[in-house]
Amino acid sequence: MAAHFGRRLRKGATNTAVAAAVAAALVASQGPGAETDDAGRQATTGTQPSSDTPAADSATGNSPYYTDLPPLDSPSPAPTIGPTADPTVTGDAAAGIPATVLDAYQKAAAELREAKPGCNLPWELLAAIGKVESGQASGGNVNANGTTITPILGPALNGNGFAHISDTDNGAYDGDSTYDRAVGPMQFIPSTWAWAGRDGNGDGVEDPNNIYDAALAAGNYLCRFGWDLSVQDDLHSAILSYNNSTHYLNTVLSWLDYYREGTHEVPDGTGPLPGNSSDTPVGSSPSPQKPSPKPETGSPSPKPTPPPSGGGSTSPTPKPPTTTPPTATDTVDHLEDGGTAQLTAMAGDAFTERVSTRAESKDGKGVPKVRVRFTIVGDTDATFTGGEKVATVVTGTAGVAVAPALRAGEKTGSFTVRATVVGRAIAGVDYTATVTARAADALARTSETALTCTVGGEFAEEVEVKATYQGATADRVAVTATLIKSVLDPTENDKGPYFKDANGNAVRTLTGLETDANGLLKLPKLYADDTAGTYMLRLTTEGGATLNVPLNVTAPEPTSSPSAPETASASPSPSA
């Protein structure tokens, strides 16, 4: 144990030295014109908040945090996140993140990628902060909607070993009308939540005790001031603005690196609990929970229960075990197809059908308010609306969740959409989706001009066609052009008109042609050899469109030579 602890300290010392060197180079910026956030707080882009920055200007009020460091070794096995992972295989216990909590981090990061793409917020940063602030919501002790089953509160910020922040919410969030406390899985103080709070699960409420709301709020908080978290200085400034402590910065960075190496999903309520807090005196027994609110001075102490009459010592009557009522997720027995039709789309198009899944109890009844995760699996560039590969949808009153619309990429072939229940290890449902090549069912020339040429010459007009599919423009459709012998004999001709390759050689078949965004394709210039006649150019596409274009090659008109002058015969006249 001592040897392991020593190795761990060395790792922490190394990380600390690096981070401290960076932090030491940062200087507080309070100059005129500094950018402010929604609460009027100044930006510290590229700088560390100064040591005298008020605690109220941080997300957490600089409340205590967990100081446990990740193991020295990278998580094993390789990164396995979400429904593609084998639920029977887990890596290092420290790398496990409860399913609903993990889903909240990834959902928040996905929303921030769309709303603030320049922030470059990795979900692993939210996971690192969530680990340090609350041990991933006390090991994933949340219900199916992501709300903590037991409130997570920091100590009263009464100035006694902590910052002094008087009550700002009349106890609405933290139950304390005298002092503020950090609240929820991301440990926001009420004054910060008042402007930073977000609704991450779409229920119309901004609740700091809900991991979806708190994760989205934390993401927006870290992305304010235009910080780019792929830049080291901005990353450090953002973390320090959450809790102004160099040791906090080092701890978060350690977990960020660890989670980036790989993690895996574990069932809700089974996540590992941290054991060391920044406010725990050295040598004392740490508590795996955030400090509970302490009675204020003068509060009556609980009275001891008197022994029953008759004297003698008695053992205290054991309390009945506390049972948590099952959540909607707990009642899901299996998933069923919710009536999904065949999933087929042409490359680049949206799928007209959507994946539908029904969560059912053991007796076959639909279970509402259950989070179903849809994941695109396989070698494909298809995505859901918004460009995401993963989407989470809450089942409706009939227990049905409908995935966002799918959009095909350019890769053809089949892939899988997998539906699983967030927070419950039951078999998923797989749906096969197929992407076909771009196709056209009709081709037409854009000009009615006859195509003619004399032998040995070149055609004055280039052939241009437009491709359509079911009446709509067919863009980026592959087209093959072949000079054939006749309509009844589609083999390549060995005489007549021809195209030229890059070296000027005659070619009579062109492949790899493609219509543009407007469905148009203009062929290269055509030339004629020395054989007159009527020839045929055939164009074909994926999807069965065929167009035959006649080409006429004529012989040159004969030139007439000048007429010779007539000469009168000079026969001698007969003599008289």
Side-chain angles (χ1 to χ4, degrees):
M1 184 64 170
H4 177 74
F5 184 68
R7 291 170 60 220
R8 196 182 211 183
L9 280 178
R10 284 196 293 275
K11 179 187 179 184
T14 302
N15 290 340
T16 302
V18 173
V22 175
L26 305 177
V27 180
S29 175
Q30 303 294 335
E35 188 177 358
T36 59
D37 61 16
D38 294 343
R41 298 167 183 170
Q42 289 183 312
T44 54
T45 305
T47 66
Q48 176 181 346
S50 61
S51 58
D52 59 353
T53 300
D57 281 355
S58 69
T60 67
N62 297 336
S63 292
Y65 56 90
Y66 290 114
T67 58
D68 296 46
L69 292 174
L72 288 172
D73 297 330
S74 298
S76 176
T80 52
I81 301 173
T84 57
D86 181 348
T88 64
V89 177
T90 57
D92 192 304
I97 299 179
T100 299
V101 178
L102 175 60
D103 186 60
Y105 295 149
Q106 293 178 325
K107 186 174 185 291
E111 290 193 28
L112 267 298
R113 278 198 299 274
E114 185 173 345
K116 298 182 179 182
C119 178
N120 294 305
L121 170 73
W123 69 261
E124 294 91 343
L125 177 58
L126 295 176
I129 290 176
K131 177 70 174 181
V132 171
E133 291 295 344
S134 69
Q136 310 299 17
S138 298
N141 188 30
V142 296
N143 64 22
N145 293 324
T147 302
T148 56
I149 294 172
T150 303
I152 303 173
L153 294 174
L157 298 174
N158 55 15
N160 184 18
F162 310 111
H164 185 287
I165 304 179
S166 296
D167 174 65
T168 61
D169 66 329
N170 199 28
Y173 291 122
D174 54 16
D176 191 331
S177 58
T178 304
Y179 301 102
D180 270 351
R181 302 170 184 263
V183 181
M186 302 304 279
Q187 288 290 278
F188 278 96
I189 54 174
S191 58
T192 300
W193 185 261
W195 62 267
R198 295 292 189 277
D199 177 15
N201 61 353
D203 63 358
V205 178
E206 296 173 357
D207 182 4
N209 297 295
N210 181 278
I211 185 59
Y212 287 96
D213 294 358
L216 184 59
N220 277 279
Y221 185 92
L222 294 166
C223 287
R224 72 200 194 287
F225 301 133
W227 278 328
D228 179 356
L229 303 186
S230 66
V231 177
Q232 181 175 267
D233 282 357
D234 284 5
L235 173 65
H236 290 191
S237 292
I239 296 172
L240 286 166
S241 76
Y242 211 91
N243 191 314
N244 187 19
S245 160
T246 301
H247 185 268
Y248 179 87
L249 169 68
N250 299 334
T251 307
V252 170
L253 290 175
S254 295
W255 283 105
L256 172 61
D257 290 342
Y258 183 72
Y259 286 138
R260 277 175 165 164
E261 290 295 326
T263 184
H264 57 274
E265 178 182 294
V266 298
D268 290 345
T270 67
L273 295 174
N276 299 285
S277 177
S278 61
D279 66 332
T280 302
V282 177
S284 64
S285 299
S287 169
Q289 301 293 330
K290 273 282 182 178
S292 301
K294 296 179 180 179
E296 299 297 332
T297 303
S299 300
S301 301
K303 295 180 179 180
T305 303
S309 58
S313 62
T314 60
S315 301
T317 303
K319 294 181 179 180
T322 302
T323 58
T324 302
T327 65
T329 301
D330 295 331
T331 65
V332 177
D333 179 73
H334 58 277
L335 292 177
E336 293 285 347
D337 177 20
T340 306
Q342 184 176 6
L343 299 168
T344 304
M346 195 181 300
D349 289 350
F351 285 75
T352 56
E353 300 295 335
R354 294 166 69 175
V355 176
S356 177
T357 303
R358 177 178 160 94
E360 295 186 355
S361 60
K362 199 167 187 178
D363 56 3
K365 294 181 179 179
V367 183
K369 297 184 179 180
V370 172
R371 292 188 176 274
V372 176
R373 180 188 292 136
F374 297 97
T375 305
I376 296 174
V377 182
D379 183 17
T380 180
D381 53 356
T383 62
F384 292 115
T385 301
E388 298 297 327
K389 293 281 189 179
V390 180
T392 304
V393 180
V394 178
T395 58
T397 55
V400 176
V402 179
L406 283 165
R407 174 163 288 277
E410 294 305 318
K411 289 184 179 180
T412 59
S414 296
F415 62 92
T416 298
V417 178
R418 181 167 298 156
T420 56
V421 176
V422 175
R424 189 157 175 80
I426 60 175
V429 178
D430 286 352
Y431 302 83
T432 299
T434 303
V435 178
T436 61
R438 293 173 181 266
D441 55 15
L443 284 171
R445 282 190 64 201
T446 59
S447 169
E448 296 180 356
T449 305
L451 298 167
T452 61
C453 177
T454 57
V455 293
E458 60 184 48
F459 288 81
E461 184 176 350
E462 298 172 8
V463 178
E464 184 180 65
V465 296
K466 181 166 185 176
T468 56
Y469 184 78
Q470 297 180 357
T473 295
D475 62 312
R476 299 183 63 183
V477 175
V479 179
T480 298
T482 306
L483 291 150
I484 60 176
K485 291 183 176 179
S486 70
V487 173
L488 299 178
D489 185 0
T491 57
E492 182 181 286
N493 211 335
D494 55 0
K495 59 183 178 181
Y498 60 91
F499 301 104
K500 287 183 179 180
D501 64 13
N503 297 319
N505 300 318
V507 292
R508 290 187 169 87
T509 298
L510 296 178
T511 59
L513 303 172
E514 188 177 272
T515 61
D516 64 14
N518 298 314
L520 297 174
L521 170 65
K522 180 175 283 189
L523 298 181
K525 187 180 286 293
L526 277 163
Y527 302 86
D529 63 10
D530 57 0
T531 310
T534 299
Y535 299 91
M536 195 65 64
L537 169 66
R538 174 168 288 180
L539 295 96
T540 58
T541 71
E542 185 77 27
T546 300
L547 176 65
N548 294 317
V549 182
L551 305 170
N552 294 313
V553 179
T554 61
E557 295 182 5
T559 56
S560 57
S561 56
S563 302
E566 294 184 4
T567 303
S569 86
S571 299
S573 299
S575 55

